[in-house]
Amino acid sequence: MAEKCPRNGFVPVSAAAMVHAMTLQDNQVKGACGHDCPDTCGWVVTVEQGRATALVGDRDHPFTRGTLCAKVNHYLDRVYHPERVLHPLRRVGPKGSGQFERVTWDEALADIAARWQAVIAEHGAEAILPYSSAGVQGLVQQASLDMRLFGVLGASRLDRNICGAVASAGMKATLGVGTGIDPEQVSHAKLIVLWGTNTVVTNLHYWPQVKAAQKAGATLVVIDPVRTRTAEEADWHIQLLPGSDAALAMAVMHVMQRDGLVDEDYVRAHALGYDELVRKLADHSPEAMSPIIGLPAADIERFARLYATTQPSLLRPLIGIEHHINGAMQFRAVSCLPVLSGAFRHRGGGIARSTHALHYAALDMDAVERPDTWKPARTLNMRDLGKDLCDPALDPPVKALMVYGANPASTIPNQNLIERGLAREDLFTVVHDMVLTDTARFADYVLPATSQIEHLDLSPAWGHLYLALNRPAIDPPGEALCNTELFRRLAKALGREEPWLYDSDEAMIRTALASGHPWLEGITYDRLWNEGHARLSAPEDWRPFAEGNFPTPSGKAELWSETLLQMGQEPLPDVGAIRREAGLQLITGKQVPVLNSAYGHIDIHKKRAGTLFIELDPADAEARGLSEGDLVRAHNRLGEIHGLCRISQRLRPGIAWMPFGHLEDASGVRRGVNVLTDEAPTDWGGGTGYYDAFVEVELLD
Ligand SMILES: Nc1nc2c(c(=O)[nH]1)N[C@H]1C(S)=C(S)[C@@H](COP(=O)(O)OP(=O)(O)OC[C@H]3O[C@@H](n4cnc5c(=O)[nH]c(N)nc54)[C@H](O)[C@@H]3O)O[C@H]1N2
Ligand SMILES: Nc1nc2c(c(=O)[nH]1)N[C@H]1C(S)=C(S)[C@@H](COP(=O)(O)OP(=O)(O)OC[C@H]3O[C@@H](n4cnc5c(=O)[nH]c(N)nc54)[C@H](O)[C@@H]3O)O[C@H]1N2
Ligand SMILES: [Mo]
């Protein structure tokens, strides 16, 4: 059972942990940011009389080095925001109206348990859909007791794939992993290719490392259809057409093979299917690929030669190339480049994507999530939430939805359809969050969640190898509960007696750290408690594929993939299916002042983000008779959204850009860019082509 705290009943931390907190010197507590971001910054919270009075970057953290981002610099505004949900709320108005009344935890929990039990009795447990994402990123708060509870109930499972899964699936087809090398090895690189990632904005603490390497003589290339702030800093910005990265990779491989620039020794020893690939590359010359990529063949030749003749060369992709319908193939094709160039042999060479899987492979995740106790159940794809909620043929239908650590009404494609589904009178929706999100406005119950400074968590990172312990600095305000405590109470309300549904957070973290994995050697709970963070014990000069050892079925880098063939996919790297439709291709990008759909309700961030705008190339604006500052509507068959017209030199003709994360449009209506995106599936990996939306833009009368 969970430990009881004499002050407020259940608390998310164990009694032992509370004692530690009280014996800390001074009034400062180390923690780590829990946002869905590669940086996972270390921070220090100052507490005075139970109130957090300062939150600053932890100078001891080797990767984030004492700085935070524009959002988290004001994290305490989020913690103490007047609109923060502090008590359980029950709906009193129509769905979507955001009208609620305060109820007690006991009332809310008893009613939720009774409603779920009724759904299970009538439709079976699969009629319950838990929907969560990485709103709080960490070992126990993100996914632990929730997985256990919904697992033993036999609720529907969620295929979580809108961020990273497609990239990982694509890379795995070639390399057997979705990770690559340690990103910090960038300091050894002589060529750095930021491929579809806006590092300055989204991966702030990696940027100084990239810049330092550039200053030390490395050439920095940015591949992006948009001239982002990151692209501005590059030695060379390759501004290709969206979705044409695989075509570029094919052309580069063509040149490498044609000109004898392939590391033949490496390829013959460690790759499978090179001869088949060579035959295919014959018709992927720069000239042949040029119309697809939208760049002159000479530029493609030049990039190919630069890549093939510079070592060590490091490719750094994040999300940009996965949010297309050929997203997995784009990652598969790009991952072939360091195999052909032999870059993996060299320190700082290869490809460096998310480090998420490196942390989670070291931790004992099965002990945390306990899949051994789960009942078999169907899996629904998060991308299809709107379709599933509105599908009369879905059997069983989704009758109960529980959303936590996510805001699908704003972040999943086809916002209008999702809202239609959430408005269903026969759907029972519970949302656990700190704020009244777009999704929460449709809930039957809104439950108050803790902020990161109010709960304990172990924080693995997806942008580096440092594991952190996030210590709670203050008591939760009002009646807020952390995710794990909520699921303990839900288990109790449902009358569950399995003891593992009540494990404490500390116990789960200790278990996860006790995996025996060599990279966790010397990393104990107590050390993390005292020091805040520790680097996974990977060798300093870690070159996982210098001598092959790819964890693919064949043990080699698979230029030819039997696995893909069995899946009905093209077994060799390929251009993939590129979506081109009438209208402007809409790319929606991350912004500095907000974190996905979060922070938009806080004045300072709202002001910085400004009024929603739609950015166009001068040629496209002129063709539509539009001027800077006009109020325009962007629309397609799914819906419309209003914004101010912005005309810039950042785009190419045919491309429009809108910022992702505004909570309302220029007409003050609560709708974001996902009213214009559909659920177009990626080739494999289960994700969606967010950046393959097509719109028309015109003056709003
Ligand atoms: N400030 C801030 N930071 C964030 C976030 C945030 O909302 N705000 N979100 C966090 C999250 S959840 C994530 S996943 C990361 C994502 O981090 P990034 O991957 O850096 O983010 P994106 O802006 O989605 O996409 C990167 C770039 O891909 C480009 N792109 C689009 N299509 C293509 C294409 O076909 N080819 C190529 N080569 N490029 C293309 C876009 O123009 C964009 O500049 O950022 C995290 N960090
Ligand atoms: N058009 C378009 N759509 C996109 C993207 C894009 O670039 N363009 N990017 C996509 C990407 S990469 C991602 S990752 C997704 C993000 O999609 P989501 O994960 O749905 O997005 P967030 O807005 O980060 O929502 C997280 C929520 O978790 C809440 N939260 C924070 N901490 C806690 C906690 O401790 N407990 C609970 N219960 N809740 C908490 C926050 O308040 C917030 O409301 O969006 C995707 N959607
Ligand atoms: Mo993401």
Side-chain angles (χ1 to χ4, degrees):
M1 291 291 288
E3 291 87 345
K4 288 210 174 171
C5 166
R7 277 174 305 157
N8 59 358
F10 287 101
V11 285
V13 284
S14 71
M18 291 301 288
V19 171
H20 273 290
M22 284 183 282
T23 54
L24 264 180
Q25 339 90 345
D26 299 323
N27 53 347
Q28 298 200 304
V29 183
K30 280 198 182 196
C33 182
H35 285 322
D36 186 358
C37 167
D39 293 12
T40 309
C41 297
W43 68 32
V44 178
V45 187
T46 305
V47 183
E48 289 168 294
Q49 289 159 356
R51 199 177 160 87
T53 51
L55 186 153
V56 296
D58 177 3
R59 268 184 257 149
D60 296 340
H61 194 286
F63 192 89
T64 61
R65 300 177 182 209
T67 60
L68 299 171
C69 67
K71 304 164 294 295
V72 178
N73 272 326
H74 301 276
Y75 192 77
L76 297 183
D77 290 352
R78 187 166 158 80
V79 172
Y80 295 114
H81 196 273
E83 285 170 31
R84 180 150 175 206
V85 178
L86 294 175
H87 305 280
L89 303 173
R90 180 166 56 205
R91 179 169 67 87
V92 290
K95 290 204 174 197
S97 67
Q99 292 165 26
F100 297 94
E101 65 178 358
R102 180 174 167 183
V103 291
T104 65
W105 265 112
D106 285 347
E107 278 175 278
L109 290 166
D111 196 21
I112 293 167
R115 295 287 298 261
W116 285 3
Q117 268 153 347
V119 166
I120 293 170
E122 194 178 341
H123 302 278
E126 284 180 326
I128 301 176
L129 175 63
Y131 183 105
S132 67
S133 191
V136 54
Q137 204 171 257
L139 183 86
V140 296
Q141 300 305 340
Q142 184 176 349
S144 60
L145 296 182
D146 54 327
M147 304 302 279
R148 296 184 189 185
L149 178 62
F150 288 121
V152 293
L153 288 178
S156 284
R157 284 198 253 290
L158 188 72
D159 186 0
R160 294 180 180 78
N161 47 37
I162 51 168
C163 179
V166 175
S168 181
M171 273 179 75
K172 269 188 189 156
T174 302
L175 306 175
V177 294
T179 51
I181 71 163
D182 174 3
E184 287 198 282
Q185 297 292 324
V186 70
S187 59
H188 299 275
K190 287 284 166 256
L191 171 67
I192 305 161
V193 185
L194 299 177
W195 202 319
T197 176
N198 190 2
T199 314
V200 174
V201 171
T202 59
N203 193 181
L204 190 65
H205 297 86
Y206 194 44
W207 183 242
Q209 300 193 17
V210 171
K211 265 320 249 193
Q214 189 188 21
K215 276 210 186 98
T219 303
L220 177 61
V221 176
V222 171
I223 303 182
D224 198 308
V226 181
R227 192 160 181 87
T228 59
R229 283 169 61 184
T230 310
E232 290 281 351
E233 300 271 337
D235 296 301
W236 185 11
H237 173 206
I238 299 182
Q239 194 165 14
L240 42 44
L241 287 171
S244 70
D245 305 85
L248 177 60
M250 295 298 282
V252 170
M253 290 193 278
H254 173 102
V255 174
M256 289 173 77
Q257 189 274 329
R258 184 198 67 196
D259 294 356
L261 298 172
V262 170
D263 184 336
E264 295 254 354
D265 290 348
Y266 187 84
V267 167
R268 294 280 169 215
H270 305 306
L272 188 77
Y274 182 59
D275 295 333
E276 290 86 341
L277 176 65
V278 168
R279 279 196 289 279
K280 178 160 182 172
L281 289 174
D283 51 13
H284 288 77
S285 65
E287 291 75 19
M289 294 297 100
S290 164
I292 300 174
I293 300 167
L295 291 173
D299 284 358
I300 302 168
E301 289 269 350
R302 191 179 137 215
F303 175 60
R305 299 193 67 84
L306 175 69
Y307 179 72
T309 58
T310 317
Q311 294 288 11
S313 61
L314 180 63
L315 307 182
R316 167 65 169 182
L318 273 186
I319 279 289
I321 60 172
E322 103 172 54
H323 282 166
H324 291 278
I325 60 166
N326 60 348
M329 184 54 94
Q330 301 234 83
F331 268 94
R332 160 153 174 71
V334 168
S335 307
C336 293
L337 297 179
V339 177
L340 263 57
S341 74
F344 285 122
R345 287 182 197 267
H346 308 274
R347 186 166 188 190
I351 184 165
R353 200 186 69 83
S354 167
T355 53
H356 181 273
L358 298 173
H359 286 265
Y360 280 88
L363 296 161
D364 187 348
M365 287 313 295
D366 283 354
V368 174
E369 297 186 351
R370 295 294 304 269
D372 55 309
T373 65
W374 299 353
K375 280 192 191 153
R378 70 175 171 192
T379 299
L380 298 178
N381 190 320
M382 69 196 310
R383 162 194 85 203
D384 293 324
L385 182 66
K387 282 185 181 168
D388 286 343
L389 291 180
C390 295
D391 180 2
L394 189 68
D395 185 22
V398 176
K399 298 295 267 185
L401 176 70
M402 160 107 206
V403 178
Y404 51 104
N407 182 16
S410 159
T411 58
I412 291 294
N414 208 343
Q415 185 178 340
N416 286 336
L417 189 66
I418 291 177
E419 289 195 1
R420 210 181 318 146
L422 290 174
R424 263 178 44 202
E425 277 307 325
D426 66 324
L427 176 72
F428 178 66
T429 302
V430 178
V431 174
H432 181 229
D433 207 302
M434 291 167 66
V435 287
L436 204 59
T437 61
D438 288 311
T439 314
R441 299 174 78 81
F442 285 86
D444 294 282
Y445 280 97
V446 182
L447 306 175
T450 43
S451 78
Q452 183 78 353
I453 63 170
E454 297 148 25
H455 56 230
L456 179 72
D457 213 345
L458 183 74
S459 304
W462 56 276
H464 53 74
L465 295 184
Y466 302 90
L467 188 60
L469 189 74
N470 174 66
R471 290 165 49 177
I474 57 169
D475 284 337
E479 295 178 287
L481 291 181
C482 66
N483 292 18
T484 44
E485 184 53 25
L486 171 64
F487 287 101
R488 284 183 203 107
R489 293 199 188 184
L490 281 167
K492 189 156 179 269
L494 288 162
R496 304 301 306 202
E497 289 178 351
E498 298 85 344
W500 69 84
L501 296 177
Y502 300 92
D503 282 352
S504 75
D505 298 348
E506 181 183 329
M508 288 190 284
I509 293 172
R510 284 186 183 273
T511 307
L513 286 170
S515 66
H517 192 283
W519 283 22
L520 290 174
E521 202 187 315
I523 305 182
T524 60
Y525 183 86
D526 300 297
R527 179 176 159 204
L528 289 172
W529 184 272
N530 291 320
E531 296 173 20
H533 51 80
R535 184 177 184 269
L536 292 177
S537 308
E540 205 211 323
D541 179 7
W542 180 59
R543 285 184 235 179
F545 310 123
E547 283 157 40
N549 298 318
F550 293 96
T552 54
S554 64
K556 299 197 170 195
E558 297 194 341
L559 304 172
W560 165 277
S561 166
E562 187 63 33
T563 312
L564 285 184
L565 187 64
Q566 299 297 326
M567 286 161 57
Q569 299 284 345
E570 165 64 41
L572 286 166
D574 192 63
V575 170
I578 298 179
R579 195 170 178 187
R580 299 272 184 257
E581 290 175 15
L584 303 171
Q585 181 156 6
L586 177 67
I587 296 181
T588 50
K590 314 279 196 258
Q591 335 181 43
V592 171
V594 297
L595 195 275
N596 300 327
S597 78
Y599 283 89
H601 68 295
I602 301 175
D603 278 350
I604 180 171
H605 301 295
K606 200 174 168 180
K607 251 183 234 151
R608 273 193 204 154
T611 307
L612 184 70
F613 61 89
I614 300 166
E615 195 171 333
L616 300 177
D617 181 80
D620 291 323
E622 199 188 333
R624 289 162 181 77
L626 301 174
S627 313
E628 177 81 19
D630 282 349
L631 185 57
V632 295
R633 56 191 281 265
H635 61 98
N636 60 21
R637 66 188 167 83
L638 301 168
E640 71 174 52
I641 186 163
H642 304 166
L644 298 177
C645 179
R646 189 178 276 186
I647 300 172
S648 86
Q649 307 292 332
R650 296 201 314 150
L651 309 171
R652 299 177 52 130
I655 313 270
W657 194 92
M658 284 174 81
F660 167 57
H662 274 64
L663 300 182
E664 56 185 39
D665 76 358
S667 294
V669 179
R670 285 187 78 94
R671 57 188 165 198
V673 291
N674 282 319
V675 296
L676 299 172
T677 57
D678 66 13
E679 307 85 345
T682 56
D683 36 10
W684 71 93
T688 186
Y690 282 109
Y691 304 155
D692 281 338
F694 291 83
V695 296
E696 204 30 88
V697 180
E698 64 201 21
L699 207 58
L700 185 72
D701 332 299

